[in-house]
Amino acid sequence: MQEEGPESTAPSYFYGTGLVNVPAWVLASTEFNERPQQLHVRGVRESAPGLFRLLDAAPDPAAAGQTFARYMGLLFRRPPPEVENATCGRRHRAPWRELLAGWGMDSNGAAGAVMKGWVESRFGLAPTFHQETLGRFPSSAWLRYVEQKASSRYHNNDIDRQLDLLFEYAQWFIRRFGMPGRTFVRLWRGVNGFAEQAVVQGRLRDRTCVLRVNNLVSFSRSRERAEEFGDWILEAEVPATKLVFFQGLVPGAPLAGEGEALVIGGDYLVRASYV
């Protein structure tokens, strides 16, 4: 049962309504992962019909990625240098690529907070970790997260809409090309500790358990690559509908070369092994 009061630590206490067609408590469950359904951020496809008409005409994944990158570059382009100098003193205008690059460098930095905040607003799932465990509210940990996710550095070029389009493009790509998997994708995550994920059912030593991971989390497409990041290897069957970004989606994009996949979090049944 959910705890009462402003200092509750129960995960469901922080669930929001989101903008997708599935309640947050369902989306976060292992039952959803076993029987996933399509996810759509409300109104995004309708707001960009031209993009999806162009994508439907793309003959292969590479052409689709180029089409998406070109569209995003035109829609969220930087102003000419003379205009930028005159109006905002060359103020940083962060496109989705720079946000992904920031996540790759440090998922607990400002870029990571913005992306976790986007998941919170669109899918209703609050983060469970940012630099430290986000437990009781209010707290200094929550204050730091809120300050970073609202940073003007990343919010002066409609960054939430950019991420909305990236997610909807990823879901279109999966349905169109069946990559990296039409329904489920086997992914791995290497960890050295369990501060960023908690065992909620079972035990690690039993090799199979349910972990609660952050609201946005990185996995690897290969076990060998995951082993570079920790001694514990977590293997999960991830619903394709929870993929935000993955290798092959946009050629040359940050994270693509590392085989990294960004996944909407919640509770996952995992197979755990120690290297």
Side-chain angles (χ1 to χ4, degrees):
M1 179 179 295
Q2 176 178 308
E3 298 177 20
E4 300 294 336
E7 293 188 345
S8 174
T9 58
S12 57
Y13 183 85
F14 299 106
Y15 288 163
T17 55
L19 294 177
V20 294
N21 48 307
V22 175
W25 65 272
V26 174
L27 182 61
S29 69
T30 55
E31 288 78 11
F32 178 89
N33 294 344
E34 293 170 359
R35 296 180 293 277
Q37 57 183 284
Q38 288 294 328
L39 296 174
H40 292 286
V41 179
R42 191 177 306 129
V44 176
R45 290 287 297 265
E46 294 80 2
S47 71
L51 169 61
F52 292 95
R53 281 198 299 269
L54 290 171
L55 289 172
D56 286 339
D60 53 50
Q66 292 167 0
T67 297
F68 176 78
R70 189 178 305 113
Y71 180 93
M72 296 292 280
L74 290 171
L75 187 61
F76 299 103
R77 64 185 181 274
R78 297 175 186 268
E82 62 275 12
V83 174
E84 194 169 21
N85 286 332
T87 60
C88 56
R90 298 190 63 80
R91 192 178 181 187
H92 184 80
R93 295 175 62 84
W96 62 275
R97 287 179 181 270
E98 293 177 26
L99 202 62
L100 289 182
W103 173 279
M105 293 180 63
D106 182 8
S107 63
N108 286 302
V114 170
M115 296 189 72
K116 293 168 190 174
W118 169 75
V119 172
E120 187 179 357
S121 67
R122 270 41 179 179
F123 299 89
L125 301 178
T128 58
F129 189 94
H130 187 74
Q131 299 181 5
E132 59 183 294
T133 300
L134 298 174
R136 293 186 177 276
F137 182 90
S139 67
S140 57
W142 273 102
L143 179 59
R144 283 191 294 273
Y145 160 68
V146 170
E147 288 177 340
Q148 287 196 338
K149 79 171 181 177
S151 170
S152 61
R153 176 185 179 189
Y154 290 106
H155 282 287
N156 59 2
N157 199 7
D158 206 358
I159 196 64
D160 283 339
R161 188 180 177 212
Q162 294 186 45
L163 294 174
D164 290 344
L165 288 167
L166 179 64
F167 175 75
E168 287 293 336
Y169 166 59
Q171 294 303 307
W172 173 92
F173 188 99
I174 290 166
R175 292 192 296 276
R176 171 68 180 276
F177 300 112
M179 298 169 53
R182 291 194 180 277
T183 306
F184 296 100
V185 184
R186 182 173 295 178
L187 299 174
W188 292 264
R189 177 171 170 79
V191 299
N192 281 317
F194 288 83
E196 295 193 40
Q197 45 271 313
V199 179
V200 296
Q201 184 178 329
R203 298 175 299 179
L204 282 173
R205 65 183 181 184
D206 294 333
R207 302 307 185 191
T208 301
C209 61
V210 175
L211 282 186
R212 178 164 297 137
V213 300
N214 217 342
N215 69 343
L216 184 66
V217 64
S218 290
F219 279 86
S220 175
R221 295 284 302 278
S222 75
R223 179 187 173 94
E224 291 74 18
R225 190 60 193 265
E227 290 176 357
E228 298 176 11
F229 295 93
D231 295 330
W232 279 100
I233 305 301
L234 312 174
E235 178 184 335
E237 296 290 331
V238 175
T241 58
K242 282 191 169 183
L243 294 176
V244 176
F245 181 84
F246 47 86
Q247 186 178 28
L249 185 62
V250 183
L255 307 182
E258 292 79 9
E260 191 168 341
L262 295 185
V263 175
I264 303 300
D267 290 355
Y268 280 86
L269 179 66
V270 303
R271 288 173 290 277
S273 58
Y274 192 79
V275 180

